[in-house]
Amino acid sequence: MTEPDQAQPPAPANGKKAKRSKRKWRRKLLLALITPLVLVQIIAFMFSMGVTPARTAYMLEAGEPNVYQFVSINHMSRHLLAATIAHEDEQLGTRSGAFDLGDLQARAQAYFQGKPDPSGSTIPQQLVKNIFLWDDQNAVRKGIEAVLATQFSYTLSPQRTLELYLNYAQFGPHLYGVCAASWYYFGTPPWNMTDVNPRSSWASFRCRTWSSGIPREASIWARASTPPCGTL
C-alpha cells in the first residue's frame, strides 16, 4: 500500500481552467469561421429564390443618382446572352464551381509577381463583386470574392447567375444593367438587341459604354432614367 506521504498530489485547479478556456476559444474560433459562411449561404439561397436588391455595393459607393431597372432574362435578346457568355465566361453552365482552380492559381501568381491578369474574373466572381464588394485589386478582396463566388455558383443556376450579372454590371458612370444601357446607348430595349456575331456584339457594347466619349453623368441620368424594362 502507498503511504499517505507518498500519494500523488491532486492536479492543480488552474490546469483544468486552462483546458476549459482553450476549448471555449476553439469553439469561438469555429463559430466565427462558420457564421459568415452560413449567412452567405442564406443570402445566396434568397437570390436563387428571386430576391433582387434595388442597390448594390457598387451603386452605394458611387452615390446617387444611379440609373438602374431590373429586367427578366426572358426579356433579354438571345444574341445578347450568347455574346455575354462568349466574351465574359465561356464555361458558365459547364464548369463546376465559380472558376477553374488552374486559372485561379495562375491569376494569383501573376498578382504576386506584379504581372497582368492572364484570364480575368468569371461571371460568378464579377457578380458577387458588383453586389457585395468594392473596386479594389488587393488580395483580401480577391479572396473574399472567391469564397462568395463559390457559394453562389453552387446555389444559383447558371441562368439566374447570368440574369443577375447582366442586371448589375456597370456600363458607365452611374449606369447599371442592360436595361438602362441598351436604351441609352442604342435607343432600344434589351430584348431587341441583335447581332450575327456574339463576340463582336458584346465587345462593341462594352467598348461603347466605356469609351472616352461617355457623356456627362447628368446627361446619362436625363436620357436613361426611366427605361421601360419593368413594365412587361
Side-chain angles (χ1 to χ4, degrees):
M1 297 180 64
T2 304
E3 297 296 330
D5 57 347
Q6 294 178 348
Q8 295 295 325
N14 60 355
K16 292 182 179 179
K17 290 181 179 179
K19 288 182 179 180
R20 286 198 297 267
S21 177
K22 194 172 184 179
R23 285 196 296 268
K24 288 182 180 179
W25 181 84
R26 287 176 178 173
R27 285 196 295 267
K28 289 181 180 178
L29 178 61
L30 184 61
L31 185 63
L33 293 174
I34 292 177
T35 300
L37 297 178
V38 172
L39 291 175
V40 170
Q41 189 59 53
I42 293 173
I43 293 172
F45 178 74
M46 293 171 62
F47 273 88
S48 71
M49 297 301 292
V51 171
T52 53
R55 289 292 181 266
T56 64
Y58 260 51
M59 295 180 193
L60 294 175
E61 185 178 10
E64 298 291 345
N66 286 314
V67 184
Y68 161 76
Q69 190 171 0
F70 187 88
V71 58
S72 167
I73 194 172
N74 295 324
H75 298 144
M76 296 181 192
S77 163
R78 294 307 181 252
H79 297 279
L80 175 61
L81 299 180
T84 303
I85 294 173
H87 195 269
E88 298 290 301
D89 188 355
E90 291 183 342
Q91 294 182 342
L92 181 68
T94 61
R95 175 187 56 239
S96 176
F99 44 77
D100 181 86
L101 291 178
D103 291 342
L104 182 65
Q105 183 178 6
R107 295 185 67 197
Q109 290 177 348
Y111 173 81
F112 288 113
Q113 293 173 1
K115 297 179 180 179
D117 192 332
S119 58
S121 299
T122 62
I123 284 179
Q125 288 176 289
Q126 294 182 62
L127 172 62
V128 297
K129 179 191 69 174
N130 291 339
I131 296 176
F132 301 109
L133 303 177
W134 58 95
D135 188 15
D136 199 336
Q137 298 300 317
N138 64 60
V140 174
R141 205 272 287 164
K142 290 288 186 181
I144 297 173
E145 175 189 289
V147 173
L148 292 175
T150 298
Q151 289 191 265
F152 265 62
S153 68
Y154 285 119
T155 306
L156 276 64
S157 67
Q159 291 83 0
R160 179 62 172 164
T161 300
L162 182 60
E163 179 181 61
L164 290 172
Y165 170 70
L166 282 168
N167 272 287
Y168 292 125
Q170 186 175 9
F171 291 95
H174 300 267
L175 189 66
Y176 298 89
V178 294
C179 179
S182 62
W183 276 109
Y184 178 74
Y185 292 108
F186 299 101
T188 188
W191 56 83
N192 199 38
M193 292 186 63
T194 59
D195 197 297
V196 294
N197 188 331
R199 283 186 177 274
S200 65
S201 172
W202 181 251
S204 173
F205 194 29
R206 294 291 281 183
C207 287
R208 284 190 62 177
T209 57
W210 289 107
S211 67
S212 58
I214 290 179
R216 293 181 302 173
E217 296 168 13
S219 176
I220 289 180
W221 175 256
R223 289 182 54 185
S225 58
T226 56
C229 288
T231 58
L232 296 181

